[in-house]
């Protein structure tokens, strides 16, 4: 059996680079862990790049805005716990907002932000490879979390896309992962490979549950996610629906390689 993962997928990062600041939002919960991570990236003497403003919490947004000047606001995906405060923060700072899945290379006073399309958790999910001097980090949003595993948020999320995105992130060995929730991790590549192995193992469990007679997503959740707290079964059901859709397309591929509707 594949156990429910609640620990980090890679070693936790000891210390952030001195040009990275974390301002964590006060919205802890089962899906947000300790709260949404708002990351601020800043070259010496330059403006801050804000990644994921988080919820519409005035205290949180003012704490972020205090790192003025703000050169840009970028978003890893459209879920409300990452984006609800974006308009208010833009009003406080006057900064331009870059909405996913628009991909645009940014340069903020020598700090470069290179977007990497990583659909799967959601259709619009984006990670960012950020460079300053000789250092590189990866902002992973909800594609890789600092603790536990993430949800493939079907129907917007897609398991095939997610596996492909993890394959791209697996090539980023040696670069810290700064996630949307939970602690920063020492190595993006290690975390991505762990996530992919775990997701493939879960897929095999779903395949076996269907072969044993499970006929719908709730039945599969009860069999495959029996070790998960029932308060999280609604999230598990989203992932299971994504897995069942993946298996359906695997068994009945659409003509000419097109996805079936």
């Amino acid at each position: 059996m594949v156990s429910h993962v609640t620990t980090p997928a890679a070693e936790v990062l000891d210390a952030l680079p001195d040009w990275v600041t974390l301002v964590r939002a006060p919205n802890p919960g089962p899906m947000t862990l300790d709260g949404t991570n708002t990351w601020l990236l800043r070259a010496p003497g330059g403006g801050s790049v804000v990644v994921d403003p988080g919820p519409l919490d005035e205290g949180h947004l003012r704490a972020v805005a205090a790192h003025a000047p703000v050169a840009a606001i970028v978003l890893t995906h459209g879920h409300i716990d990452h984006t609800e405060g974006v308009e208010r923060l833009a009003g406080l700072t006057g900064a331009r907002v870059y909405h996913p899945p628009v991909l645009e290379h940014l340069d903020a006073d020598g700090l470069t932000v290179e977007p990497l399309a990583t659909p799967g958790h959601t259709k619009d999910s984006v990670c960012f490879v950020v460079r300053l001097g000789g250092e590189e980090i990866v902002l992973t949003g909800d594609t890789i979390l600092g603790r536990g595993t993430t949800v493939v948020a079907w129907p917007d999320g897609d398991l095939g896309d997610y596996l492909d995105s993890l394959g791209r992130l697996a090539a980023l060995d040696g670069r810290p992962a700064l996630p949307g929730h939970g602690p920063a991790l020492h190595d993006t590549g290690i975390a991505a490979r762990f996530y992919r192995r775990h997701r493939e193992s879960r897929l095999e469990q779903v395949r076996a549950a269907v072969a044993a007679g499970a006929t719908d997503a709730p039945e599969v959740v009860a069999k495959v996610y029996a070790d998960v707290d029932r308060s999280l079964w609604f999230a598990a059901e989203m992932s299971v629906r994504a897995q069942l859709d993946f298996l359906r397309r695997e068994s009945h591929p659409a003509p000419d390689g097109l996805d079936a509707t």
Side-chain angles (χ1 to χ4, degrees):
M1 292 292 291
V2 179
S3 297
H4 180 47
V5 176
T6 58
T7 55
E11 181 184 351
V12 172
L13 188 67
D14 291 334
L16 296 171
D18 58 12
W19 46 276
V20 176
T21 301
L22 169 62
V23 181
R24 180 170 287 134
N27 63 335
M31 299 296 290
T32 56
L33 303 181
D34 307 306
T36 300
N37 292 337
T38 298
W39 297 102
L40 297 103
L41 319 169
R42 188 171 192 166
S48 297
V49 175
V50 177
V51 182
D52 289 345
L56 186 57
D57 180 276
E58 188 69 13
H60 171 69
L61 296 173
R62 286 193 175 275
V64 174
H67 293 262
V70 174
I73 300 168
V74 300
L75 306 172
T76 60
H77 64 296
H79 278 168
I80 194 169
D81 56 311
H82 295 254
T83 63
E84 187 183 33
V86 67
E87 290 186 11
R88 176 58 177 155
L89 184 63
L92 288 170
T93 63
R96 178 181 173 184
V97 180
Y98 295 82
H99 291 276
V102 175
L103 300 178
E104 187 170 339
H105 180 94
L106 302 178
D107 189 322
D109 305 295
L111 182 146
T112 63
V113 182
E114 180 183 339
L116 178 66
T118 51
H121 170 66
T122 59
K123 186 179 296 183
D124 66 352
S125 288
V126 178
C127 293
F128 298 99
V129 180
V130 183
R131 302 178 180 90
L132 181 63
E135 291 185 285
E136 289 190 7
I137 58 173
V138 185
L139 280 297
T140 61
D142 284 0
T143 300
I144 292 177
L145 301 180
R147 189 169 70 249
T149 56
T150 198
V151 172
V152 179
W154 189 91
D156 186 40
D158 181 275
L159 180 58
D161 287 345
Y162 188 59
L163 293 174
D164 289 344
S165 293
L166 291 176
R168 287 191 287 276
L169 292 172
L172 300 178
D173 286 303
R175 300 160 178 85
L178 277 57
H181 305 279
L185 303 178
H186 181 71
D187 195 299
T188 299
I190 290 173
R193 288 190 290 275
F194 176 91
Y195 263 46
R196 180 160 181 141
R197 289 194 302 270
H198 177 80
R199 188 58 60 195
E200 289 172 342
S201 295
R202 280 294 195 202
L203 183 61
E204 288 306 308
Q205 286 185 309
V206 171
R207 197 191 306 272
V210 170
T215 59
D216 58 21
E219 284 187 45
V220 173
V221 170
K223 290 179 178 292
V224 173
Y225 290 83
D227 61 330
V228 178
D229 190 287
R230 282 178 176 260
S231 67
L232 296 175
W233 276 20
F234 77 96
E237 186 170 323
M238 283 192 287
S239 286
V240 164
R241 290 186 183 279
Q243 291 161 329
L244 292 173
D245 182 64
F246 180 89
L247 293 175
R248 175 187 60 78
R249 287 183 289 163
E250 182 181 69
S251 299
H252 301 93
D256 300 322
L258 299 176
D259 287 340
T261 58

